[in-house]
Amino acid sequence: MVRSARIAAVHLTVAAVMSLFITPSAHAAVDQFCALNEVVTYSPPLTDTPQTVTFSVSGQLFNCTSSSAPTGSYAETGTAPNATCTSVLSAGSGTRVFKWTNTAIAPSTFSYNRTTNRVGGDIQVVAVGSISSGTFTPDPAKSVGVGAQPNPAACSTTGVSQLTAAGSLTIGI
């Protein structure tokens, strides 16, 4: 019951965050807007004890506004030294390649800086940067993901091997 309420709260938070990006500003043109879901896997699992972990991100882009690139995916890997359940989602930078399911459309490379905020029981990750190569170059871009914080009981015992997030990608902000 508590888990269902938490999932519903995450979905409401994601809907609120996504609604912030539906209407472009008067000075910008949004070239692409997508909903996103992602899963981050950690090895070894995150715990309360600092350790170096390898992470892999698998993301899906869907309900995109560009008819030539209506869906896509991305993947990212890396390592995080001294990672714990409370420190792993920290500020940083990275690169993601959005591979559009329409293979006639070139992949889009997103170079970004990331910030994180903890809001209630959720974590909000905001990545802001630009499309540095491929389709939608040189548009600015922003990705927002929201997910539940790691379970404290699992962090103090067996660890947390996966976190999930839902949110949006806006290209041409």
Side-chain angles (χ1 to χ4, degrees):
M1 180 69 125
V2 171
R3 182 164 173 81
S4 297
R6 180 179 274 317
I7 290 169
V10 167
H11 286 288
L12 286 173
T13 302
V14 168
V17 168
M18 289 177 65
S19 71
L20 295 174
F21 302 104
I22 291 175
T23 305
S25 71
H27 303 293
V30 172
D31 289 327
Q32 177 72 302
F33 178 85
C34 303
L36 70 80
N37 282 327
E38 70 180 28
V39 176
V40 184
T41 304
Y42 299 95
S43 179
L46 297 171
T47 65
D48 292 331
T49 304
Q51 62 184 330
T52 298
V53 298
T54 300
F55 65 88
S56 62
V57 179
S58 175
Q60 297 297 314
L61 301 168
F62 57 96
N63 294 335
C64 301
T65 57
S66 172
S67 60
S68 61
T71 59
S73 63
Y74 57 93
E76 185 177 356
T77 59
T79 58
N82 298 312
T84 67
C85 282
T86 57
S87 72
V88 73
L89 295 172
S90 57
S93 60
T95 301
R96 288 187 175 163
V97 177
F98 302 129
K99 296 180 180 178
W100 306 108
T101 51
N102 177 353
T103 56
I105 303 299
S108 304
T109 301
F110 176 41
S111 301
Y112 64 85
N113 290 310
R114 177 186 65 243
T115 59
T116 62
N117 297 299
R118 295 179 190 277
V119 180
D122 297 327
I123 299 170
Q124 178 188 51
V125 179
V126 179
V128 177
S130 63
I131 303 301
S132 57
S133 69
T135 301
F136 304 114
T137 301
D139 282 0
K142 182 176 190 176
S143 171
V144 178
V146 178
Q149 293 187 42
N151 179 320
C155 291
S156 64
T157 57
T158 58
V160 174
S161 61
Q162 281 191 342
L163 294 174
T164 60
S168 64
L169 167 68
T170 307
I171 299 175
I173 54 176

